[in-house]
Amino acid sequence: MTVTGSGAVTARGAVTTGGALPAGEYDVTVVGAGVVGTAIARELARLPLRIALVDAADDVGEGTSKANTAILHTGFDAVPGSLESRLVRDGYRLLSAYAAETGIPVEPLGALLVAWDEEQLAALPGLAEKAVRNGYHAARIVPAAEVRAREPELGPGALGALDVPGESVVCSWTTPLAYATQAVRSGVHLHLNCRVRNVLSDQAHTLVTSRGPLRTRYLVNAAGLYADEIDRLLGHEDFAVTPRRGQLIVFDELARGLVRHILLPVPGALGKGVLVSPTVYGNVMLGPTAEDLDDKTDTGSTAGGLALLREKGRRILPALLEEEVTAVYAGLRAATGDDDYAIRSHPAQRYVTAGGIRSTGLTASMAIAAHVVELLAEAGLAVSGAREPVPVRMPNLGEAFLRPYRDAGLIARDPEYGRIVCHCERVTRGEIRDALASTVPPGSPDGLRRRTRARAGRCQGFHCGAAVRALFEEGRG
Amino acid sequence: MSRDRGVDVLVVGAGPAGLAVAARLAGAGAGRVEVLERDQEPGGIPRRCRHGGFGDPVRPWLDGPAYVRQALRAATAAGATVRTGVSATGWAGPLTLETTSPAGLERITARAVVLATGARERPRSARLVPGTRPAGVLTTGELQQSVHLYGQDIGRRAVVVGAEPVARHAVHTLRRAGAQVVAMVTDRPRGAAVPGVPLLTATTLGELHGRGRLSGVTVRHADGRCGILTCDTVVFTGDWIPDHELARRGGVAVDPGTRGPSVDASFRTSAPGVFAVGNLLHGVERAATAAAEGHAAAVPVLARLSGEPWPEPGPVLTVRAPLLWVAPNRLTDPGRRPLLLRSGEPLTAPVLTAAQDGRLLWRRRFPVRMAPSRSLRLASAWTDRVDRSGGPVVLGIG
Ligand SMILES: Cc1cc2nc3c(=O)[nH]c(=O)nc-3n(C[C@H](O)[C@H](O)[C@H](O)COP(=O)(O)OP(=O)(O)OC[C@H]3O[C@@H](n4cnc5c(N)ncnc54)[C@H](O)[C@@H]3O)c2cc1C
Ligand SMILES: Cc1cc2nc3c(=O)[nH]c(=O)nc-3n(C[C@H](O)[C@H](O)[C@H](O)COP(=O)(O)OP(=O)(O)OC[C@H]3O[C@@H](n4cnc5c(N)ncnc54)[C@H](O)[C@@H]3O)c2cc1C
């Protein structure tokens, strides 16, 4: 495996970030290295095939996948019978097991859907019954007194809740990175800074990219918000993606003691609503909003959006608003106007689209990947000779698990894990060094943050910004 | 496995306040006095300040690094141990701190703990400034380190948010780094301008623009006028918040005004044996103020070491708007220390009052201008009149 800037590729996997693409034909190329595309590439990496994964960005997970609420959903509230319902349920099981094996942090906190008015309270039995239709049997309705006992800081007026013990929080930064790392170590070529501009199809497909042509026999479209545009290049007008923005506020780690469960809203006419949830990094998140836009790049926050979140948050957990804000961000869901994923196979074209993966794609990613590979097989891709991918173990970013700065044995073996660089998040020089030398190295300081938490904390660089930047620049040579 | 050790006094933070308390204590024979500093070098904020104006009285030629070199010499000459690259990460007991350093993990138990962890500026996110998340968005703290300690490249055209003394330092640092400062922006009606830099008063930052790198900021004047300033860098200055994490994780009560530990005039927190000094108590003040607090805290720390009991905390001292905070803010031992008082709005010749349980304790006119960036120093003899078993004492205007 090699990492190059020039495009030279060995027989093993590779990561390239510039220069011409390798000559020759790939068996399968996946467009889009979000959580869905990386999961598909990882699934394909089991096969003795030549696989490419390409992304326009300088890193994996740079699209919607880095900016969500990071909940590992049970699928209790999906549309029963939908493809999403099945894939979320399977994905939950698959990702839970994969996380345990690779070290992706997951915390099984359980969720409470809190009813704040009679209408919401009246909706709970229906939700409990829907959960059963989705194959989820552990949900039950709990009375107001129990809700209060389990969440003492909850604002006044909660009338009851639906308890969904299986809902968990997961690390949405480590997940696509683990998939990509494993894919590359198992032989996949990851080409970054590689935007697909056009697709010419005859016997095989020729992707016209910002780094030149790339030839491939099979093509998978996992381009997220742009999946409809790639589809159009192949002559399909099945669906149109409308970006639905979700703005979020992340509160300081000192707020973590205020909340014990994922506090989900009871879904109403206006969509899923605003939740309050701990994160695996030990802080507390409030959001998201839901705003339909027409600009697929508009990931900015707005004064109105933040004011709305604060108003909702004050109702749910008043003390939260007294805590410091650590970060504000926004993600765009790939909404299609349809209530289900838009996963379509076009066997004659040796082409599969994984589109419309709106608000559950992180959870469902591994199941989507398995489903897409089945569709490729039905379209004629040879899937014999599968082997287990090379095992990977990811660095732990989860606060509930042993972080390097607290690991005496690790520090004794390598004192760099005792040298804290980012004080708020307690990120050590050893971790930063490892990230810079990893299989899929960060393309920017933001990428380094998603691999280590460096600079993700309350001071946002007041103390460590210059030091982290220096290490990043030094590490890139 | 972490090692367990004991010391007499453990000071967290080797800035001006921590070094000052350590110097006094070690000099007075307090036993083993150890200062922990998470940075690789001791000195705190002044280490990043390459301008003159430190010392007591202020010496225009004395810059931050020289100032803290003196403080460090005083501490070590008195016999204090200053350990750098050691972070206090949490508590293992009421007077036991957990630490991480390249040498491993330790649990250090002290007879008295002094927190001197300083303060930081609120970043863009904490100020809820909307927009995109481009590179080129800094606080003064990061700017100073980037330029003075790392020689890093800063952008070409910068906007500075704030018009207080620290904003002027940011302007000078930006200029030293070769950037043009296109404007200083403050939501206040007045501010201290820097020659050659347009000062936009009564103006808020509406939104940040740019992908990858900052391309501009929307500014909105109180009268409704709006515009975009083209820039590739924006520096958020001032708006200090004490670095109170360790204090809070130790269960130390925090004052709602300062957001630092609530302390009495002897720097005693709500946790027996735990003291707090410096910017941790109130956000940024002059280094000499932080150091003076450190010096003054040595006396009660010594008393504690010689067995003086921890007193009941006494009534709280709070403020009413437009006053923002007062420190110290517990009235255990009235009259011992001057009070620092901040206002959120400029006030001319304010009449200050203090009342407890509806009873006026004190009233005085101050023939000065109170600026939001400067604390008013109040003599505290009047606090003798406080009923030690009464309710909160409230400072107000008029
Ligand atoms: C606010 C919010 C909250 C959410 N909460 C949750 C949650 O709690 N749990 C959950 O399971 N899911 C959640 N989701 C959904 C989840 O984040 C998405 O379903 C998932 O990230 C979609 O992944 P993706 O790989 O399809 O898309 P993306 O991550 O957007 O990846 C698509 C990639 O394609 C690349 N690309 C696009 N066009 C081209 C081109 N022409 N050439 C090359 N590359 C291209 C992009 O650069 C991008 O990297 C949430 C989403 C949002 C917005
Ligand atoms: C831009 C700027 C310009 C200034 N100019 C002047 C001036 O001209 N004249 C003047 O008198 N004053 C000036 N000041 C103010 C002066 O720097 C401060 O008042 C002074 O540094 C406060 O001292 P302190 O010890 O309370 O905190 P700090 O100096 O902030 O020191 C706190 C120390 O604690 C350490 N620490 C925190 N947490 C931990 C932990 N958990 N474990 C270990 N260590 C920890 C920190 O790393 C830091 O070194 C200026 C400040 C700024 C920001």
Side-chain angles (χ1 to χ4, degrees), chain B residues 37-308:
Chain B
E37 172 53 55
R38 61 191 184 182
D39 283 346
Q40 298 306 311
E41 307 279 341
I45 296 268
R47 216 164 53 81
R48 318 168 178 178
C49 295
R50 293 294 159 89
H51 56 269
F54 284 85
D56 188 22
V58 173
R59 301 193 181 89
W61 65 87
L62 187 64
D63 69 7
Y67 172 77
V68 288
R69 268 198 304 278
Q70 288 178 4
L72 180 67
R73 262 200 306 273
T76 49
T81 307
V82 179
R83 296 173 63 215
T84 60
V86 185
S87 297
T89 57
W91 301 78
L95 291 172
T96 305
L97 284 169
E98 295 171 325
T99 70
T100 293
S101 79
L105 307 185
E106 283 192 316
R107 271 194 300 254
I108 309 175
T109 302
R111 296 167 61 215
V113 171
V114 184
L115 302 176
T117 52
R120 64 188 162 80
E121 291 162 302
R122 285 200 173 85
R124 172 262 178 112
S125 50
R127 304 182 195 210
L128 295 176
V129 175
T132 57
R133 302 218 301 161
V137 182
L138 311 170
T139 48
T140 319
E142 182 173 2
L143 172 73
Q144 287 184 315
Q145 296 200 61
S146 301
V147 174
H148 298 315
L149 301 184
Y150 289 89
Q152 286 163 350
D153 206 27
I154 300 296
R156 302 271 71 88
R157 285 172 60 84
V159 167
V160 169
V161 183
E164 298 186 356
V166 62
R168 293 201 295 275
H169 290 304
V171 168
H172 295 309
T173 304
L174 283 162
R175 284 180 166 168
R176 169 130 25 140
Q180 182 201 349
V181 182
V182 291
M184 292 170 83
V185 180
T186 175
D187 54 3
R188 303 237 159 96
R190 275 191 277 182
V194 177
V197 179
L199 173 67
L200 309 181
T201 53
T203 301
T204 53
L205 214 57
E207 198 178 318
L208 305 191
H209 308 278
R211 304 195 167 274
R213 183 82 193 190
L214 184 73
S215 63
V217 299
T218 297
V219 288
R220 192 165 287 119
H221 194 267
D223 66 11
R225 280 177 301 148
C226 225
I228 291 186
L229 299 173
T230 305
C231 58
D232 58 13
T233 302
V234 58
V235 183
F236 287 88
T237 76
D239 197 356
W240 296 88
I241 166 100
D243 262 327
H244 58 203
E245 176 180 13
L246 198 58
R248 286 185 60 185
R249 294 218 187 267
V252 170
V254 160
D255 177 77
T258 62
R259 303 232 156 203
S262 162
V263 292
D264 64 17
S266 296
F267 306 96
R268 288 179 290 229
T269 69
S270 65
V274 179
F275 296 81
V277 290
N279 281 349
L280 169 63
L281 295 181
H282 40 55
V284 89
E285 295 289 334
R286 292 199 43 249
T289 305
E293 290 171 355
H295 284 143
V299 177
V301 174
L302 285 168
R304 165 77 185 173
L305 295 179
S306 62
E308 188 184 89

Side-chain angles (χ1 to χ4, degrees), chain A residues 45 64 116 147 161 166 177 224 231 242 250 261 288 303 326 342 362 391 406 439-440:
Chain A
T64 300
W116 296 97
V147 177
L177 191 63
D231 242 23
T242 308
V250 181
H261 305 80
T326 296
L362 170 60
R406 299 192 63 118
T439 302
V440 183

Side-chain angles (χ1 to χ4, degrees), chain A residues 37-46 98 101 178-179 182-183 366 389:
Chain A
T38 53
I40 296 169
R42 176 193 163 277
E43 188 67 32
L44 286 167
R46 298 164 181 272
Y98 184 68
E101 178 188 317
Y179 296 154
Q182 196 168 27
M366 293 185 85

Side-chain angles (χ1 to χ4, degrees), chain A residues 391-414:
Chain A
V392 293
R393 188 82 201 159
M394 301 305 288
N396 167 42
L397 300 191
E399 201 55 38
F401 307 93
L402 188 62
R403 303 220 14 247
Y405 83 92
R406 299 192 63 118
D407 187 339
L410 186 65
I411 299 170
R413 287 192 296 282
D414 183 346

Side-chain angles (χ1 to χ4, degrees), chain B residues 331-354:
Chain B
L331 293 163
T332 314
D333 34 12
R336 273 211 57 192
R337 290 281 304 167
L339 302 168
L340 293 176
L341 179 69
R342 269 297 162 111
S343 169
E345 286 167 20
L347 300 171
T348 307
V351 176
L352 296 179
T353 61

